Amino acid sequence: MTRFGSVTLLALLAVGCTTPGPGPAPEPPPVAPEPPAAVVVPPRADECAPCAGLKTEIAHLQRRLAERESELSDLRAQRQEQAKALEESARQAARTTARLRRLATRASAASYIAEVEVSMATARSAPGAEAEQAKLDRAQQLLDSSRQPYDKGDYAGAIDRASQAAELIARATEEPARPPARTGPIHVERLAVPIRLRVRIDSHLRGGPSARAAILAVLAGGTPVLANARSDGWLRVATPDGRSGWVYRPLLDPR
């Protein structure tokens, strides 16, 4: 063998020794774990089927009881709001009477006391009056005491006490004191200075100072009016839209 052939053989042997062998085998893909089987809890041996139904019914009744308690709480809150509104109306009526009583005369005081007396008789004969007997008795005491300042010529003081009695009567009957129907001649006195007032609640605008007078309209609560004359327990008022008529005085508040 020649030298050239030996060199060629050695080179081939060297190349064969440096050829890389096959690489490591790839890892198999991960296998997703199977979901755990549902755990079935067997019913308790000491619990019967009717007991489970009773538990469901008890839970239902408890929910209904909670709903009723919530409704009762709302009704109590509404009752309290109504009581506050009634007390505020009574205070406003007292302020109105205090403003108007300086215009009192002997005739107006006598008429107003008579109206309150009729209201008292009506309240005592109304159904359920026994439940408000204490208020009515207190109102009767105030009404009787109005005679003292009246006999002394203090007609404003007499109207003031009678108005307090009217407020208690209104509270006992839970509605504004209403005037009785009147008969006989009507005396109308024009006010020297018109008085700016406001209708306290929805009230009748009548054609005359009487509960039997024709109803001209119904004035909504809060309507501003201007009083320009009076007759006993009534005021003749004018509305912003040009209507004119008579309104029972306790149904008006000062503006």
Side-chain angles (χ1 to χ4, degrees), residues 179-184 206-215 234:
R182 56 167 297 167
T183 59
R206 296 184 179 271
S210 170
R212 291 181 178 177
I215 299 175
W234 296 79

Side-chain angles (χ1 to χ4, degrees), residues 237-248:
V237 302
T239 63
D241 57 1
R243 291 177 294 179
S244 179
W246 294 85
V247 178
Y248 188 44

